[in-house]
Amino acid sequence: MSDLELPIRGRTYREPEGPHSVVVRGRDIEAALQHVASREDCRSLAVISLPTTAPDLTVLAGRRLLLVDGDSGRLRDFAELALRADVEVEWIRSARPPFDRLAAALLPIGAIVLAAGSSSRMSGPQKLLLEVEGMPMVRHAVESASDGGCQQVVVVYSAREVKEAVGDSAELVHNPDAQTGMASSLKVGLRALRPEIEAAAVLLGDQPLVGSRTIAALLRAWRREGSRPAVAVSKKRDSDEGTPGRRAVHWTPPVVLAREMWDDLNALEGDAGARQILDGHPELLDTVPAPGRPDDIDTPEDYAKILTLFPRRKSRKRA
């Protein structure tokens, strides 16, 4: 459909299978609109370098349209026409299509922060309320998801104290069945994501060292053309060191899960979450190295170890 070379997941040159997005140059917009009219599963259209004359955009009603052009007036004219046609429209003023913004608009990703655990191995208060650098650790996960580029952030909680700690920094969803295991929280989170969300980035509330750069790296990897349905952080196993023939990495959350996997995820039970699927089907998973540390905190010793990474600053003496 277009000679535009952009490495975005699911971009269309041939007739695609399943839900997809279309990216075209302005000169090919008529062909793109014909494609959209014939395919209900074409969710969004991106047009790079707009034509001088805007076509009828009513076929895009209820779908997403992204406009990229260096001419402000042309962008405004197209956007006004799209809005009148009940199209969800976004525009970027740029002569060249920026990959990250274009991919984010076509493939929005929501975050699910799993924060409904019982902290059974921690003595004392709910572990997600423990402070790391002056902030409850669950808030670190929320900030990483938001700053890393997730367009929606949902926190699944069980304890009232966790809800209060999160406050208005994210959408909150209660899981009344949290005691049955992580799978129930994952399903609650998936149901809370908006219809336009194409994938879920699943974070654990007890991984305060996973930063926004890690989330951004995962989102970027998942949105690349040719990526698998799931993308997670790679982690080296101590037991694999120096063992010939053994795979030297395995995966750990956070993990990005494509919408096409959600039916299988919603059928899960117990405490293993997405691992129940991905460990049995490694062909579904890509792993990427990440700049952050995916350590999770389960015991007082884990928390003490994390705190050693953030030594308290000595107070200055007043002159």
Side-chain angles (χ1 to χ4, degrees):
M1 184 174 293
S2 172
D3 62 355
L4 185 64
E5 290 294 338
L6 284 171
I8 296 176
R9 180 190 194 97
R11 86 264 190 268
T12 300
Y13 305 119
R14 297 171 297 279
E15 194 67 16
E17 296 181 2
H20 60 281
S21 301
V22 176
V23 184
V24 297
R25 293 192 186 277
R27 62 174 179 261
D28 298 316
I29 191 171
E30 292 288 356
L33 292 173
Q34 291 177 19
H35 173 84
V36 171
S38 66
R39 293 290 298 268
E40 292 185 359
D41 56 356
C42 182
R43 295 173 174 170
S44 56
L45 169 65
V47 184
I48 316 298
S49 299
L50 302 176
T52 55
T53 303
D56 183 2
L57 300 177
T58 54
V59 70
L60 288 169
R63 308 192 214 199
R64 297 196 303 273
L65 173 64
L66 176 66
L67 307 171
V68 182
D69 198 280
D71 188 312
S72 298
R74 193 173 299 169
L75 281 172
R76 183 181 60 251
D77 292 343
F78 265 77
E80 289 177 352
L81 184 63
L83 290 171
R84 287 198 295 269
D86 196 27
V87 179
E88 182 183 335
V89 63
E90 183 178 347
W91 56 90
I92 300 173
R93 185 175 178 271
S94 174
R96 301 180 63 183
F99 170 81
D100 285 341
R101 289 190 62 188
L102 186 59
L106 291 172
L107 297 168
I109 298 175
I112 301 172
V113 179
L114 300 179
S118 61
S119 305
S120 58
R121 286 191 281 171
M122 289 287 288
S123 58
Q126 159 65 250
K127 68 177 179 180
L128 298 181
L129 306 181
L130 296 174
E131 291 194 351
V132 176
E133 286 200 299
M135 184 167 63
M137 73 171 72
V138 67
R139 287 287 295 272
H140 283 274
V142 171
E143 287 197 358
S144 294
S146 178
D147 294 347
C150 294
Q151 284 104 318
Q152 181 184 7
V153 181
V154 172
V155 176
V156 182
Y157 74 96
S158 176
R160 176 179 54 82
E161 296 83 1
V162 172
K163 176 183 179 181
E164 293 173 351
V166 173
D168 59 1
S169 63
E171 298 176 32
L172 287 152
V173 185
H174 182 251
N175 179 13
D177 301 315
Q179 74 281 357
T180 64
M182 185 185 297
S184 66
S185 291
L186 179 58
K187 289 186 280 189
V188 167
L190 290 173
R191 288 196 295 269
L193 292 178
R194 297 192 296 264
E196 70 269 19
I197 296 297
E198 298 285 354
V202 181
L203 297 81
L204 304 183
D206 61 356
Q207 290 180 304
L209 300 187
V210 171
S212 59
R213 289 193 301 159
T214 295
I215 302 303
L218 287 171
L219 270 54
R220 190 178 303 113
W222 184 85
R223 286 172 173 145
R224 287 282 177 183
E225 178 66 12
S227 65
R228 297 177 181 180
V231 177
V233 173
S234 60
K235 184 179 180 183
K236 185 178 290 187
R237 273 195 293 222
D238 294 338
S239 60
D240 289 343
E241 289 286 348
T243 306
R246 290 193 66 180
R247 192 179 178 187
V249 296
H250 74 303
W251 72 275
T252 185
V255 57
V256 180
L257 304 166
R259 182 175 280 274
E260 65 200 71
M261 298 182 63
W262 292 8
D263 285 345
D264 290 335
L265 294 169
N266 278 317
L268 295 176
E269 301 290 341
D271 201 40
R275 194 172 293 279
Q276 296 180 57
I277 296 174
L278 296 177
D279 283 359
H281 296 278
E283 71 278 5
L284 299 177
L285 177 68
D286 283 330
T287 59
V288 296
R293 291 181 53 170
D295 311 53
D296 57 342
I297 297 176
D298 290 324
T299 66
E301 292 75 21
D302 293 337
Y303 180 53
K305 180 181 177 182
I306 293 292
L307 291 183
T308 63
L309 302 175
F310 303 99
R312 294 182 179 178
R313 297 177 181 176
K314 295 181 180 180
S315 58
R316 295 181 180 179
K317 294 182 179 180
R318 294 186 179 181

